[in-house]
PDB file of all heavy atoms in Angstrom:
ATOM      1  N   PHE A 857       1.373 -39.292   7.321  1.00  0.00           N
ATOM      2  CA  PHE A 857       2.422 -38.760   8.201  1.00  0.00           C
ATOM      3  C   PHE A 857       3.738 -39.382   7.803  1.00  0.00           C
ATOM      4  O   PHE A 857       3.833 -40.594   7.617  1.00  0.00           O
ATOM      5  CB  PHE A 857       2.130 -39.093   9.667  1.00  0.00           C
ATOM      6  CG  PHE A 857       0.937 -38.376  10.212  1.00  0.00           C
ATOM      7  CD1 PHE A 857      -0.259 -39.042  10.427  1.00  0.00           C
ATOM      8  CD2 PHE A 857       1.007 -37.018  10.511  1.00  0.00           C
ATOM      9  CE1 PHE A 857      -1.365 -38.381  10.933  1.00  0.00           C
ATOM     10  CE2 PHE A 857      -0.091 -36.355  11.017  1.00  0.00           C
ATOM     11  CZ  PHE A 857      -1.283 -37.032  11.231  1.00  0.00           C
ATOM     12  N   GLN A 858       4.714 -38.565   7.648  1.00  0.00           N
ATOM     13  CA  GLN A 858       6.035 -39.079   7.318  1.00  0.00           C
ATOM     14  C   GLN A 858       6.782 -39.318   8.627  1.00  0.00           C
ATOM     15  O   GLN A 858       6.994 -38.388   9.403  1.00  0.00           O
ATOM     16  CB  GLN A 858       6.772 -38.040   6.456  1.00  0.00           C
ATOM     17  CG  GLN A 858       7.867 -38.624   5.587  1.00  0.00           C
ATOM     18  CD  GLN A 858       7.318 -39.624   4.560  1.00  0.00           C
ATOM     19  OE1 GLN A 858       6.290 -39.391   3.946  1.00  0.00           O
ATOM     20  NE2 GLN A 858       8.001 -40.760   4.402  1.00  0.00           N
ATOM     21  N   GLN A 859       7.117 -40.579   8.865  1.00  0.00           N
ATOM     22  CA  GLN A 859       7.902 -40.837  10.075  1.00  0.00           C
ATOM     23  C   GLN A 859       9.240 -41.409   9.671  1.00  0.00           C
ATOM     24  O   GLN A 859       9.402 -42.612   9.508  1.00  0.00           O
ATOM     25  CB  GLN A 859       7.160 -41.792  11.002  1.00  0.00           C
ATOM     26  CG  GLN A 859       6.125 -41.067  11.827  1.00  0.00           C
ATOM     27  CD  GLN A 859       5.779 -41.823  13.090  1.00  0.00           C
ATOM     28  OE1 GLN A 859       5.598 -43.027  13.072  1.00  0.00           O
ATOM     29  NE2 GLN A 859       5.690 -41.107  14.190  1.00  0.00           N
ATOM     30  N   VAL A 864       3.156 -43.121   7.117  1.00  0.00           N
ATOM     31  CA  VAL A 864       1.988 -43.679   7.797  1.00  0.00           C
ATOM     32  C   VAL A 864       0.740 -43.089   7.159  1.00  0.00           C
ATOM     33  O   VAL A 864       0.534 -41.885   7.184  1.00  0.00           O
ATOM     34  CB  VAL A 864       2.007 -43.342   9.306  1.00  0.00           C
ATOM     35  CG1 VAL A 864       0.808 -43.971   9.995  1.00  0.00           C
ATOM     36  CG2 VAL A 864       3.307 -43.800   9.933  1.00  0.00           C
ATOM     37  N   HIS A 865      -0.085 -43.963   6.577  1.00  0.00           N
ATOM     38  CA  HIS A 865      -1.310 -43.477   5.949  1.00  0.00           C
ATOM     39  C   HIS A 865      -2.410 -43.461   7.003  1.00  0.00           C
ATOM     40  O   HIS A 865      -3.139 -44.437   7.157  1.00  0.00           O
ATOM     41  CB  HIS A 865      -1.690 -44.351   4.755  1.00  0.00           C
ATOM     42  CG  HIS A 865      -0.653 -44.326   3.680  1.00  0.00           C
ATOM     43  ND1 HIS A 865      -0.493 -43.238   2.856  1.00  0.00           N
ATOM     44  CD2 HIS A 865       0.304 -45.225   3.332  1.00  0.00           C
ATOM     45  CE1 HIS A 865       0.505 -43.476   2.027  1.00  0.00           C
ATOM     46  NE2 HIS A 865       1.024 -44.679   2.298  1.00  0.00           N
ATOM     47  N   ALA A 866      -2.517 -42.367   7.726  1.00  0.00           N
ATOM     48  CA  ALA A 866      -3.496 -42.262   8.804  1.00  0.00           C
ATOM     49  C   ALA A 866      -4.900 -42.240   8.240  1.00  0.00           C
ATOM     50  O   ALA A 866      -5.832 -42.762   8.850  1.00  0.00           O
ATOM     51  CB  ALA A 866      -3.241 -41.014   9.635  1.00  0.00           C
ATOM     52  N   GLY A 884     -13.259 -48.006  16.020  1.00  0.00           N
ATOM     53  CA  GLY A 884     -12.219 -48.780  15.354  1.00  0.00           C
ATOM     54  C   GLY A 884     -11.026 -48.897  16.267  1.00  0.00           C
ATOM     55  O   GLY A 884     -10.932 -48.190  17.272  1.00  0.00           O
ATOM     56  N   PRO A 885     -10.118 -49.796  15.918  1.00  0.00           N
ATOM     57  CA  PRO A 885      -8.970 -50.024  16.800  1.00  0.00           C
ATOM     58  C   PRO A 885      -8.095 -48.786  16.950  1.00  0.00           C
ATOM     59  O   PRO A 885      -8.177 -47.852  16.148  1.00  0.00           O
ATOM     60  CB  PRO A 885      -8.203 -51.159  16.095  1.00  0.00           C
ATOM     61  CG  PRO A 885      -8.692 -51.160  14.689  1.00  0.00           C
ATOM     62  CD  PRO A 885     -10.092 -50.640  14.720  1.00  0.00           C
ATOM     63  N   SER A 886      -7.290 -48.861  17.964  1.00  0.00           N
ATOM     64  CA  SER A 886      -6.367 -47.746  18.200  1.00  0.00           C
ATOM     65  C   SER A 886      -5.461 -47.561  16.984  1.00  0.00           C
ATOM     66  O   SER A 886      -4.984 -48.530  16.399  1.00  0.00           O
ATOM     67  CB  SER A 886      -5.538 -48.058  19.452  1.00  0.00           C
ATOM     68  OG  SER A 886      -4.625 -47.023  19.669  1.00  0.00           O
ATOM     69  N   GLY A 887      -5.269 -46.334  16.579  1.00  0.00           N
ATOM     70  CA  GLY A 887      -4.409 -46.054  15.430  1.00  0.00           C
ATOM     71  C   GLY A 887      -5.127 -46.171  14.110  1.00  0.00           C
ATOM     72  O   GLY A 887      -4.527 -46.094  13.047  1.00  0.00           O
ATOM     73  N   SER A 888      -6.464 -46.313  14.139  1.00  0.00           N
ATOM     74  CA  SER A 888      -7.187 -46.496  12.887  1.00  0.00           C
ATOM     75  C   SER A 888      -7.482 -45.169  12.187  1.00  0.00           C
ATOM     76  O   SER A 888      -7.943 -45.158  11.054  1.00  0.00           O
ATOM     77  CB  SER A 888      -8.492 -47.252  13.163  1.00  0.00           C
ATOM     78  OG  SER A 888      -9.269 -46.557  14.115  1.00  0.00           O
ATOM     79  N   GLY A 889      -7.255 -44.064  12.872  1.00  0.00           N
ATOM     80  CA  GLY A 889      -7.411 -42.771  12.193  1.00  0.00           C
ATOM     81  C   GLY A 889      -8.574 -41.930  12.670  1.00  0.00           C
ATOM     82  O   GLY A 889      -8.916 -40.922  12.044  1.00  0.00           O
ATOM     83  N   LYS A 890      -9.178 -42.291  13.790  1.00  0.00           N
ATOM     84  CA  LYS A 890     -10.348 -41.550  14.291  1.00  0.00           C
ATOM     85  C   LYS A 890      -9.991 -40.096  14.622  1.00  0.00           C
ATOM     86  O   LYS A 890     -10.650 -39.151  14.170  1.00  0.00           O
ATOM     87  CB  LYS A 890     -10.914 -42.238  15.556  1.00  0.00           C
ATOM     88  CG  LYS A 890     -11.270 -43.704  15.356  1.00  0.00           C
ATOM     89  CD  LYS A 890     -11.844 -44.322  16.607  1.00  0.00           C
ATOM     90  CE  LYS A 890     -10.858 -44.481  17.750  1.00  0.00           C
ATOM     91  NZ  LYS A 890      -9.809 -45.490  17.488  1.00  0.00           N
ATOM     92  N   THR A 891      -8.967 -39.947  15.437  1.00  0.00           N
ATOM     93  CA  THR A 891      -8.553 -38.591  15.834  1.00  0.00           C
ATOM     94  C   THR A 891      -8.128 -37.782  14.611  1.00  0.00           C
ATOM     95  O   THR A 891      -8.498 -36.611  14.468  1.00  0.00           O
ATOM     96  CB  THR A 891      -7.389 -38.680  16.840  1.00  0.00           C
ATOM     97  OG1 THR A 891      -7.838 -39.402  17.986  1.00  0.00           O
ATOM     98  CG2 THR A 891      -6.942 -37.299  17.265  1.00  0.00           C
ATOM     99  N   THR A 892      -7.396 -38.445  13.735  1.00  0.00           N
ATOM    100  CA  THR A 892      -6.938 -37.738  12.539  1.00  0.00           C
ATOM    101  C   THR A 892      -8.124 -37.230  11.724  1.00  0.00           C
ATOM    102  O   THR A 892      -8.142 -36.074  11.281  1.00  0.00           O
ATOM    103  CB  THR A 892      -6.072 -38.680  11.675  1.00  0.00           C
ATOM    104  OG1 THR A 892      -5.042 -39.231  12.491  1.00  0.00           O
ATOM    105  CG2 THR A 892      -5.450 -37.929  10.515  1.00  0.00           C
ATOM    106  N   LEU A 893      -9.138 -38.072  11.556  1.00  0.00           N
ATOM    107  CA  LEU A 893     -10.304 -37.665  10.776  1.00  0.00           C
ATOM    108  C   LEU A 893     -11.027 -36.489  11.455  1.00  0.00           C
ATOM    109  O   LEU A 893     -11.396 -35.515  10.794  1.00  0.00           O
ATOM    110  CB  LEU A 893     -11.262 -38.859  10.605  1.00  0.00           C
ATOM    111  CG  LEU A 893     -12.541 -38.590   9.784  1.00  0.00           C
ATOM    112  CD1 LEU A 893     -12.190 -38.038   8.405  1.00  0.00           C
ATOM    113  CD2 LEU A 893     -13.380 -39.861   9.642  1.00  0.00           C
ATOM    114  N   GLN A 936      -9.702 -35.592  23.421  1.00  0.00           N
ATOM    115  CA  GLN A 936      -9.475 -36.874  24.083  1.00  0.00           C
ATOM    116  C   GLN A 936      -9.113 -36.698  25.555  1.00  0.00           C
ATOM    117  O   GLN A 936      -9.627 -37.359  26.430  1.00  0.00           O
ATOM    118  CB  GLN A 936      -8.364 -37.623  23.350  1.00  0.00           C
ATOM    119  CG  GLN A 936      -8.209 -39.064  23.774  1.00  0.00           C
ATOM    120  CD  GLN A 936      -7.544 -39.890  22.671  1.00  0.00           C
ATOM    121  OE1 GLN A 936      -7.132 -39.378  21.632  1.00  0.00           O
ATOM    122  NE2 GLN A 936      -7.452 -41.183  22.886  1.00  0.00           N
ATOM    123  N   ASP A1012     -13.716 -36.149  20.540  1.00  0.00           N
ATOM    124  CA  ASP A1012     -12.776 -37.263  20.435  1.00  0.00           C
ATOM    125  C   ASP A1012     -12.714 -37.979  21.775  1.00  0.00           C
ATOM    126  O   ASP A1012     -12.136 -37.481  22.734  1.00  0.00           O
ATOM    127  CB  ASP A1012     -11.399 -36.708  20.040  1.00  0.00           C
ATOM    128  CG  ASP A1012     -10.443 -37.808  19.616  1.00  0.00           C
ATOM    129  OD1 ASP A1012     -10.872 -38.973  19.555  1.00  0.00           O
ATOM    130  OD2 ASP A1012      -9.274 -37.486  19.347  1.00  0.00           O
ATOM    131  N   GLU A1013     -13.339 -39.137  21.839  1.00  0.00           N
ATOM    132  CA  GLU A1013     -13.431 -39.922  23.068  1.00  0.00           C
ATOM    133  C   GLU A1013     -13.809 -39.058  24.264  1.00  0.00           C
ATOM    134  O   GLU A1013     -13.071 -38.971  25.241  1.00  0.00           O
ATOM    135  CB  GLU A1013     -12.105 -40.640  23.332  1.00  0.00           C
ATOM    136  CG  GLU A1013     -11.733 -41.494  22.125  1.00  0.00           C
ATOM    137  CD  GLU A1013     -10.603 -42.452  22.414  1.00  0.00           C
ATOM    138  OE1 GLU A1013     -10.558 -42.964  23.545  1.00  0.00           O
ATOM    139  OE2 GLU A1013      -9.790 -42.699  21.517  1.00  0.00           O
ATOM    140  N   SER A1044     -15.926 -39.934  18.486  1.00  0.00           N
ATOM    141  CA  SER A1044     -15.158 -41.170  18.340  1.00  0.00           C
ATOM    142  C   SER A1044     -15.139 -41.846  19.694  1.00  0.00           C
ATOM    143  O   SER A1044     -15.177 -41.178  20.725  1.00  0.00           O
ATOM    144  CB  SER A1044     -13.731 -40.865  17.885  1.00  0.00           C
ATOM    145  OG  SER A1044     -12.946 -40.465  18.988  1.00  0.00           O
ATOM    146  N   HIS A1046     -14.381 -45.890  21.958  1.00  0.00           N
ATOM    147  CA  HIS A1046     -14.171 -47.333  22.041  1.00  0.00           C
ATOM    148  C   HIS A1046     -15.308 -47.975  22.822  1.00  0.00           C
ATOM    149  O   HIS A1046     -15.378 -49.183  22.952  1.00  0.00           O
ATOM    150  CB  HIS A1046     -12.858 -47.634  22.798  1.00  0.00           C
ATOM    151  CG  HIS A1046     -11.640 -47.227  22.056  1.00  0.00           C
ATOM    152  ND1 HIS A1046     -11.170 -47.927  20.970  1.00  0.00           N
ATOM    153  CD2 HIS A1046     -10.780 -46.198  22.219  1.00  0.00           C
ATOM    154  CE1 HIS A1046     -10.074 -47.347  20.515  1.00  0.00           C
ATOM    155  NE2 HIS A1046      -9.808 -46.290  21.256  1.00  0.00           N
ATOM    156  N   LEU A1060     -13.595 -47.541  11.343  1.00  0.00           N
ATOM    157  CA  LEU A1060     -12.364 -47.278  10.599  1.00  0.00           C
ATOM    158  C   LEU A1060     -11.367 -48.383  10.887  1.00  0.00           C
ATOM    159  O   LEU A1060     -11.340 -48.953  11.976  1.00  0.00           O
ATOM    160  CB  LEU A1060     -11.756 -45.937  11.039  1.00  0.00           C
ATOM    161  CG  LEU A1060     -12.491 -44.638  10.679  1.00  0.00           C
ATOM    162  CD1 LEU A1060     -11.801 -43.457  11.350  1.00  0.00           C
ATOM    163  CD2 LEU A1060     -12.528 -44.433   9.180  1.00  0.00           C
TER     164      LEU A1060
ATOM    165  N   ARG B 652      -0.368 -31.509  20.894  1.00  0.00           N
ATOM    166  CA  ARG B 652       0.337 -32.742  21.177  1.00  0.00           C
ATOM    167  C   ARG B 652       1.530 -32.484  22.118  1.00  0.00           C
ATOM    168  O   ARG B 652       2.038 -33.391  22.752  1.00  0.00           O
ATOM    169  CB  ARG B 652       0.808 -33.392  19.881  1.00  0.00           C
ATOM    170  CG  ARG B 652       1.002 -34.880  20.031  1.00  0.00           C
ATOM    171  CD  ARG B 652       1.326 -35.526  18.695  1.00  0.00           C
ATOM    172  NE  ARG B 652       0.175 -35.564  17.804  1.00  0.00           N
ATOM    173  CZ  ARG B 652       0.183 -35.051  16.561  1.00  0.00           C
ATOM    174  NH1 ARG B 652       1.244 -34.455  16.105  1.00  0.00           N
ATOM    175  NH2 ARG B 652      -0.880 -35.131  15.810  1.00  0.00           N
TER     176      ARG B 652
HETATM  177  N1  ATP C  88       1.701 -36.423  14.148  1.00  0.00           N
HETATM  178  C1  ATP C  88       1.787 -37.694  13.762  1.00  0.00           C
HETATM  179  N2  ATP C  88       2.957 -38.136  13.250  1.00  0.00           N
HETATM  180  C2  ATP C  88       3.079 -39.404  12.814  1.00  0.00           C
HETATM  181  N3  ATP C  88       2.091 -40.276  12.850  1.00  0.00           N
HETATM  182  C3  ATP C  88       0.903 -39.920  13.352  1.00  0.00           C
HETATM  183  C4  ATP C  88       0.696 -38.607  13.836  1.00  0.00           C
HETATM  184  N4  ATP C  88      -0.577 -38.502  14.268  1.00  0.00           N
HETATM  185  C5  ATP C  88      -1.128 -39.719  14.080  1.00  0.00           C
HETATM  186  N5  ATP C  88      -0.245 -40.559  13.525  1.00  0.00           N
HETATM  187  C6  ATP C  88      -0.488 -41.927  13.106  1.00  0.00           C
HETATM  188  O1  ATP C  88      -1.673 -41.980  12.356  1.00  0.00           O
HETATM  189  C7  ATP C  88      -2.431 -43.108  12.664  1.00  0.00           C
HETATM  190  C8  ATP C  88      -3.807 -42.670  13.119  1.00  0.00           C
HETATM  191  O2  ATP C  88      -3.714 -42.055  14.385  1.00  0.00           O
HETATM  192  P1  ATP C  88      -4.982 -41.537  15.157  1.00  0.00           P
HETATM  193  O3  ATP C  88      -4.502 -40.743  16.297  1.00  0.00           O
HETATM  194  O4  ATP C  88      -5.881 -40.880  14.205  1.00  0.00           O
HETATM  195  O5  ATP C  88      -5.623 -42.899  15.666  1.00  0.00           O
HETATM  196  P2  ATP C  88      -6.882 -43.084  16.615  1.00  0.00           P
HETATM  197  O6  ATP C  88      -7.833 -43.901  15.849  1.00  0.00           O
HETATM  198  O7  ATP C  88      -7.359 -41.788  17.125  1.00  0.00           O
HETATM  199  O8  ATP C  88      -6.267 -43.950  17.785  1.00  0.00           O
HETATM  200  P3  ATP C  88      -6.686 -43.975  19.336  1.00  0.00           P
HETATM  201  O9  ATP C  88      -7.905 -44.786  19.416  1.00  0.00           O
HETATM  202  O10 ATP C  88      -5.540 -44.599  19.992  1.00  0.00           O
HETATM  203  O11 ATP C  88      -6.907 -42.552  19.765  1.00  0.00           O
HETATM  204  C9  ATP C  88      -1.636 -43.857  13.716  1.00  0.00           C
HETATM  205  O12 ATP C  88      -0.918 -44.892  13.093  1.00  0.00           O
HETATM  206  C10 ATP C  88      -0.709 -42.843  14.292  1.00  0.00           C
HETATM  207  O13 ATP C  88       0.477 -43.428  14.724  1.00  0.00           O
END
Side-chain angles (χ1 to χ4, degrees):
Chain A
F857 292 106
Q858 204 63 42
Q859 278 203 316
V864 182
H865 298 286
S886 178
S888 57
K890 304 181 291 291
T891 300
T892 307
L893 181 55
Q936 191 156 4
D1012 192 4
E1013 304 192 36
S1044 80
H1046 292 286
L1060 291 173
Chain B
R652 204 174 289 125

